Amino acid sequence: MRTLRYVLLAGLLGTALSAQAAPQTYKLDPGHTMVLFSWSHFGFSHPVADIGISDGTLVFDEKDPSKASVDVTMPLSNLDTHVPALDKHLKEADFFDADKYPTITFKSTSVQSLGNKHYKVTGDLTVHGVTKPVVLNATLNNVGPHPMTGQQAIGFNATGTLKRSDFGLGAYVPKVSDEIQINITTEGGVPKAGQ
């Protein structure tokens, strides 16, 4: 009888531990997400634009990062350089052609732990109707209960580079740099039941 109790207890503990280790799904918060990209303007300045996200989901298991994934949508309607004339120009046909291609998407294909809360995130970026692989270097900022909402929360920063000409956005290269620097900060939470 005692052996049976031990077997049942071990089974329950095993189930609880495996449930805790399961990947957690987070809804990314557009209000606490910035997707910044910058470039060289004829070597004189380095403008920065923010595009943000409209929707994003992050699946993450700290114990097994290989199970992680991210899927985000970035609407060009949110594009903000703090210069209205530049916003308008970037949305025109010689750059993003936002009327024809209104969103940018990123879907991860693999996540690799580099140790010490650093990760290599590889994924497919679709811009201007073109999909290319992009690598982001991500850092886990924090994971745990959010002090304001009580929800399980997570936050990351990430950086990367790409060539805009790879996506058919080659206007004014090389005077206006082909290489684009990307800086991202984001946080999200596990939705409460019914959300």
Side-chain angles (χ1 to χ4, degrees):
M1 189 69 172
R2 185 177 294 175
T3 304
L4 178 60
R5 271 199 216 110
Y6 285 143
V7 169
L8 288 171
L9 184 59
L12 288 170
L13 284 172
T15 301
L17 289 172
S18 62
Q20 287 176 353
Q24 194 77 258
T25 300
Y26 299 86
K27 176 92 171 160
L28 297 180
D29 179 3
H32 290 90
T33 299
M34 299 180 83
V35 180
L36 305 173
F37 60 96
S38 62
W39 62 95
S40 171
H41 186 253
F42 299 97
F44 291 107
S45 64
H46 292 83
V48 176
D50 181 16
I51 191 169
I53 63 170
S54 60
D55 188 52
T57 301
L58 170 68
V59 178
F60 187 70
D61 180 352
E62 200 170 1
K63 293 181 180 177
D64 188 359
S66 66
K67 293 179 181 175
S69 65
V70 62
D71 186 344
V72 297
T73 300
M74 298 161 271
L76 284 164
S77 58
N78 285 352
L79 178 67
D80 185 9
T81 65
H82 297 288
V83 182
L86 180 55
D87 294 348
K88 182 176 182 296
H89 188 193
L90 289 176
K91 293 174 187 177
E92 290 174 351
D94 54 342
F95 282 106
F96 286 110
D97 198 1
D99 286 341
K100 188 174 182 182
Y101 307 104
T103 60
I104 295 171
T105 62
F106 178 81
K107 294 182 181 181
S108 66
T109 53
S110 70
V111 176
Q112 176 187 351
S113 175
L114 303 177
N116 198 29
K117 298 187 177 182
H118 293 281
Y119 305 88
K120 176 182 174 183
V121 181
T122 303
D124 291 329
L125 180 68
T126 301
V127 182
H128 199 243
V130 178
T131 301
K132 297 278 184 181
V134 168
V135 175
L136 298 174
N137 299 304
T139 302
L140 175 63
N141 297 327
N142 198 6
V143 61
H146 194 285
M148 293 181 72
T149 66
Q151 292 172 268
Q152 180 72 4
I154 197 165
F156 275 93
N157 275 21
T159 61
T161 61
L162 59 83
K163 286 190 174 181
R164 61 188 178 93
S165 61
D166 288 346
F167 297 88
L169 299 168
Y172 311 115
V173 169
K175 296 295 186 181
V176 176
S177 64
D178 194 9
E179 186 172 272
I180 300 295
Q181 305 290 328
I182 303 167
N183 284 279
I184 301 165
T185 190
T186 189
E187 66 180 76
V190 175
K192 292 180 179 177
Q195 283 185 332

